[in-house]
Amino acid sequence: MAKCVIDINHITKVFNPGENEVRALNDVSLKIFEGEFVSLMGASGSGKSTLLNILGCLDQPTSGTYFLDGEEVNGISKAAISRIRNRKFGFVFQAYNLLPKTTALENVELPLLYNSDISSSLRRKKAKEALVSVGLAKRIYHKTNELSGGQQQRVAIARALVNEPKVIFADEPTGNLDSKTSYQIMELFQNLNEKGILIVMVSHEPDIVEMSKRKIILHDGKVIEDDEIINPKNAHELFVAANKK
Amino acid sequence: MKILDLLASALRSINRNRSRSLLTMLGIIIGVASVIGMLALGSGASDSIKGELGKLGTNLIMIRPGADQQRGVSSDVTNAEVLKETDIKAILNLCPTVNFISPVVQTKSQAVFGSNNCRPYVTGAYRDYFFMNNYAIKLGQLYDDRTGKSLQKVCVIGKTVAEDLFVNEKEAVGNIIRIDKIPFRIIGVLEEKGETMGMDGDNIIIAPFRTVQKRLLGLSYVHVIHAATKDENDVDKAVSEIDDVMRGFLKKVSGGEPQYQIATQKEMLDVMGTVLDMLTLLLAAIAGISLIVGGIGIMNIMLVSVTERTREIGLRLAVGAPSNVILWQFLIESIVISLIGGIIGILLGYALAEIGGNVMDMDAEVTMSSVLMAFGFSFMVGIIFGFFPARKAAKLNPIQALRHE
Ligand SMILES: Nc1ncnc2c1ncn2[C@@H]1O[C@H](COP(=O)(O)OP(=O)(O)OP(=O)(O)O)[C@@H](O)[C@H]1O
Ligand SMILES: [Mg+2]
């Protein structure tokens, strides 16, 4: 059986305790294993992003425990958490979040900048490789504002890849893109997943979710459904089909 | 993240917002330039004034009637007639360090030649007066009144008087002018002294002591006594010798209080120097305030920059930047901004000193210490005023920062 990477137990997250209290997560327990491709679904405000942020160690739960690779996250220092995000995780956001007025290359180099084990020449090399792997070989030195939405999201994915992460967290990565471009992005994710990277993605588009391997549905901060997707759709085939129309 | 990467990232960020960075630097630039310029011009002015005063003779000792002002106002012991010509001999005989001495009387009178006239200061003094006060003869000669016997109606005139009364100063020697209706023959014209602190040093006539004292003024006493030593280092000794003679042998005391004051040119120079140095410092301090204002400008812009770049900071934190690295990133950026500003300011300060020195016709030299001080100060400004915004950035929560609009 595959190794358990993420193991959360009875996680709750309460915003604004006291008055105007929002219980964004209410007793959520989950196990996610190596090699999985998980989609988080649910209505707006159901707590998807909150859960993803906690899983990605960007936020701390109000209560409950989180074991990452068998190690409890709650107790460790801020610096150690930064290090985990820097070495083990990659993040992709709906709004791309690229640095303005900088080149694709500089954006992709960013996570490695905070890893002092990596020399500047190696940093450059790895960033170029990551850009090539997302199909942006010809856009390495372009400024980010000269790129299309899909290209920008691919830069963001290259940035998430560059540190060879164990897990990629993606919050609505196709939310701002048309369906054809979305398929291309999903194809990238499927390829990465093939190579063994665990992917946790938030999406509310059913056809996108059908390309992942597991679907978790949240409602009012609770998990109401958790199903394996028997036959995930192949993003590349969908893209080719869409092009034929 | 290595320090070089931090520096490179700071430079890139400054370069990305070039015009804003320049405006931010402006306060520092102006502050540093004015501190450096002020210090250079101030010390230049101070040096040039000290130089001018030095020309008046640094060995000079002046004895005046009147109680020492430091002991308060005591008008009953003040007697304008306390100094006599006979005192001269006693001082010269009893004070071994005194080499030159002359009684001095002075008045402002009208001098007339033909249809021209002017109002110079007319001084009556012995021949030593010229040496003590660094007067040199340019045309003609000096009168030969060493001992004060002379009642000759001759005089030596300054350049201004020569120009006022004659078409050409060369014509002056040998002519008779009238000073308060009394005819005097001009026997010499003095070298130009120039202006000293707004006073025309050439609007003068100098004549034998008794001629002026008796014929022009009708006095029996002396206004001032000028004495001088051969060696500058003997001045203090001479002062105490003179004081002893005045007190003991000449008994110029009334109710235990001396009726005279002794002042030296050196003292005046020292006082003047202190005042000038203080003025220079004051100017530099005022200029320094603009450095602080510049620092507040940096803080303001850095705060704006932190707010503007909140999403960027959030992203950096999300991809694993430790918060102390974020702190350093912003701190280094503000230090780099103020150091660049400082360097531009130093160059501008040099230019200011150069131009100001040329305009005011003096040597305004920028000192290494003021450059180092300005550099250090702008470094401090960068740290102090950059710290608060940098800490604000470092304390951001990554998710909230990423959501920031
Ligand atoms: N920082 C916050 N402060 C207060 N309330 C918050 C905060 N973040 C999220 N919430 C609340 O928590 C709940 C869950 O928010 P979350 O962002 O996880 O929803 P979501 O499922 O991602 O929705 P969407 O599909 O619209 O992105 C919402 O009711 C939201 O208002
Ligand atoms: Mg969301």
Side-chain angles (χ1 to χ4, degrees):
Chain A
M1 195 178 145
K3 238 181 82 189
C4 179
V5 179
I6 289 169
D7 180 4
I8 56 169
N9 295 291
H10 311 293
I11 291 281
T12 58
K13 179 70 181 180
V14 179
F15 289 110
N16 310 327
E19 267 179 80
N20 289 328
E21 185 170 286
V22 178
R23 196 164 277 265
L25 292 176
N26 193 357
D27 194 21
V28 176
S29 297
L30 272 180
K31 279 188 169 54
I32 299 175
F33 298 89
E34 262 182 350
E36 283 203 273
F37 188 162
V38 182
S39 294
L40 299 176
M41 289 192 80
S44 183
S46 56
K48 306 182 294 289
S49 297
T50 307
L51 179 57
L52 193 79
N53 290 338
I54 289 174
L55 295 181
C57 296
L58 286 167
D59 205 355
Q60 288 79 46
T62 311
S63 67
T65 53
Y66 179 4
F67 290 89
L68 178 70
D69 282 331
E71 199 189 342
E72 175 147 22
V73 175
N74 304 53
I76 62 181
S77 70
K78 259 186 91 176
I81 287 181
S82 290
R83 200 180 157 89
I84 288 176
R85 288 201 304 263
N86 187 241
R87 310 291 158 89
K88 284 194 177 175
F89 295 168
F91 293 93
V92 179
F93 307 94
Q94 179 174 358
Y96 324 135
N97 281 324
L98 301 176
L99 300 183
K101 299 187 202 170
T102 43
T103 62
L105 185 66
E106 284 175 285
N107 271 279
V108 177
E109 280 183 14
L110 194 69
L112 300 184
L113 222 54
Y114 300 108
N115 182 344
S116 45
D117 298 340
I118 291 177
S119 72
S120 57
S121 56
L122 184 59
R123 184 168 77 213
R124 187 138 302 193
K125 187 168 159 269
K126 278 174 171 276
K128 280 182 184 165
E129 281 169 7
L131 279 165
V132 170
S133 77
V134 298
L136 287 178
K138 287 184 179 156
R139 297 283 184 273
I140 289 177
Y141 296 106
H142 281 237
K143 292 268 166 70
T144 50
N145 53 329
E146 297 165 359
L147 301 175
S148 71
Q151 287 169 334
Q152 290 191 43
Q153 193 60 301
R154 279 193 274 167
V155 173
I157 292 172
R159 183 180 63 199
L161 284 180
V162 75
N163 58 343
E164 295 163 27
K166 191 159 190 159
V167 191
I168 288 181
F169 295 98
D171 195 345
E172 306 204 28
T174 61
N176 287 3
L177 303 173
D178 61 45
S179 57
K180 248 197 275 179
T181 319
S182 299
Y183 296 151
Q184 287 181 297
I185 297 297
M186 287 311 290
E187 189 186 341
L188 278 174
F189 279 137
Q190 284 187 334
N191 292 342
L192 292 171
N193 186 236
E194 281 302 296
K195 286 179 194 150
I197 296 177
L198 172 53
I199 295 174
V200 183
M201 171 185 82
V202 170
S203 180
H204 51 238
E205 297 163 77
D207 60 324
I208 296 292
V209 172
E210 288 306 310
M211 290 175 234
S212 67
K213 295 178 180 168
R214 179 179 169 190
K215 173 165 81 175
I216 296 172
I217 301 181
L218 290 178
H219 181 72
D220 283 347
K222 278 186 190 291
V223 176
I224 56 164
E225 224 184 292
D226 186 349
D227 296 319
E228 194 183 340
I229 294 169
I230 310 296
N231 255 325
K233 295 227 167 73
N234 183 301
H236 182 67
E237 285 168 12
L238 283 171
F239 175 69
V240 174
N243 264 348
K244 277 186 184 151
K245 273 180 207 166
Chain B
M1 202 170 181
K2 292 163 199 117
I3 186 92
L4 268 175
D5 290 330
L6 281 170
L7 252 169
S9 130
L11 284 173
R12 242 178 284 137
S13 148
I14 290 166
N15 189 39
R16 237 178 280 145
N17 300 300
R18 236 162 294 150
S19 52
R20 190 173 77 184
S21 305
L22 199 73
L23 283 175
T24 311
M25 288 172 199
L26 212 57
I28 299 288
I29 294 175
I30 293 173
V32 167
S34 43
V35 167
I36 288 191
M38 283 303 171
L39 282 176
L41 289 176
S43 65
S46 157
D47 283 351
S48 91
I49 290 176
K50 281 182 205 164
E52 275 187 40
L53 288 175
K55 276 192 282 180
L56 298 179
T58 38
N59 302 359
L60 195 61
I61 299 162
M62 285 153 287
I63 306 159
R64 294 198 187 86
D68 194 329
Q69 292 300 312
Q70 281 168 358
R71 291 175 205 168
V73 188
S74 37
S75 52
D76 53 323
V77 290
T78 305
N79 180 358
E81 302 183 13
V82 78
L83 300 176
K84 306 284 185 213
E85 195 185 352
T86 48
D87 301 340
I88 301 292
K89 207 170 216 158
I91 293 171
L92 198 58
N93 287 338
L94 296 172
C95 303
T97 48
V98 173
N99 276 301
F100 305 98
I101 194 157
S102 166
V104 178
V105 284
Q106 207 169 45
T107 175
K108 196 161 187 175
S109 302
Q110 189 171 50
V112 181
F113 179 75
S115 57
N116 297 336
N117 69 82
C118 61
R119 275 188 77 77
Y121 285 96
V122 179
T123 300
Y126 295 174
R127 192 183 163 101
D128 275 356
Y129 181 83
F130 293 92
F131 307 128
M132 290 188 287
N133 290 284
N134 290 343
Y135 284 111
I137 201 86
K138 185 181 181 190
L139 300 167
Q141 61 188 71
L142 290 179
Y143 51 82
D144 193 27
D145 179 22
R146 284 177 209 277
T147 51
K149 301 272 154 49
S150 169
L151 269 167
Q152 272 186 302
K153 287 181 279 183
V154 294
C155 68
V156 174
I157 62 175
K159 190 173 187 280
T160 307
V161 177
E163 281 169 354
D164 283 349
L165 297 185
F166 301 95
V167 181
N168 186 334
E169 62 181 14
K170 285 185 183 124
E171 295 170 12
V173 178
N175 276 306
I176 309 280
I177 58 172
R178 284 174 183 276
I179 304 171
D180 279 355
K181 307 218 171 71
I182 300 168
F184 279 77
R185 188 162 53 84
I186 297 172
I187 58 167
V189 178
L190 293 167
E191 287 281 6
E192 184 174 359
K193 267 255 173 183
E195 222 173 77
T196 306
M197 296 190 292
M199 290 262 293
D200 182 1
D202 301 307
N203 190 24
I204 52 165
I205 295 177
I206 304 172
F209 174 70
R210 283 198 189 174
T211 317
V212 179
Q213 188 203 27
K214 298 270 176 329
R215 298 216 168 164
L216 219 53
L217 295 170
L219 296 176
S220 60
Y221 59 91
V222 171
H223 283 147
V224 193
I225 295 171
H226 280 192
T229 59
K230 226 181 212 147
D231 188 337
E232 200 175 324
N233 299 321
D234 287 339
V235 170
D236 289 338
K237 204 169 158 205
V239 167
S240 76
E241 284 173 3
I242 293 170
D243 198 37
D244 283 348
V245 173
M246 296 289 282
R247 221 178 257 273
F249 185 78
L250 295 170
K251 302 206 168 36
K252 307 261 183 205
V253 281
S254 155
E257 296 291 315
Q259 292 178 295
Y260 57 89
Q261 299 170 36
I262 305 173
T264 66
Q265 194 79 285
K266 239 170 102 183
E267 247 170 46
M268 281 168 60
L269 267 175
D270 289 348
V271 171
M272 202 67 204
T274 319
V275 169
L276 284 168
D277 288 348
M278 265 166 59
L279 255 169
T280 304
L281 276 182
L282 188 75
L283 284 174
I286 291 170
I289 290 173
S290 73
L291 264 179
I292 292 173
V293 175
I296 293 170
I298 286 193
M299 179 157 72
N300 190 15
I301 298 284
M302 290 305 292
L303 278 174
V304 169
S305 165
V306 168
T307 309
E308 251 184 33
R309 289 157 65 187
T310 299
R311 279 168 75 100
E312 177 192 327
I313 296 162
L315 178 75
R316 286 175 187 271
L317 289 167
V319 300
S323 51
N324 66 331
V325 172
I326 298 288
L327 182 111
W328 273 110
Q329 191 190 335
F330 279 87
L331 204 53
I332 285 182
E333 194 171 319
S334 81
I335 292 171
V336 168
I337 286 186
S338 43
L339 282 188
I340 294 176
I343 290 169
I344 300 177
I346 287 168
L347 295 178
L348 212 67
Y350 266 104
L352 210 71
E354 188 65 29
I355 295 168
N358 276 340
V359 169
M360 289 183 243
D361 192 23
M362 61 192 194
D363 268 342
E365 203 184 325
V366 176
T367 57
M368 204 57 213
S369 64
S370 73
V371 168
L372 287 179
M373 196 187 72
F375 206 73
F377 206 100
S378 37
F379 192 76
M380 293 300 290
V381 163
I383 290 185
I384 291 168
F385 293 100
F387 184 75
F388 177 62
R391 205 188 50 168
K392 193 181 160 194
K395 276 190 165 174
L396 283 174
N397 168 314
I399 316 166
Q400 269 155 27
L402 278 170
R403 280 194 186 173
H404 185 88
E405 287 308 313

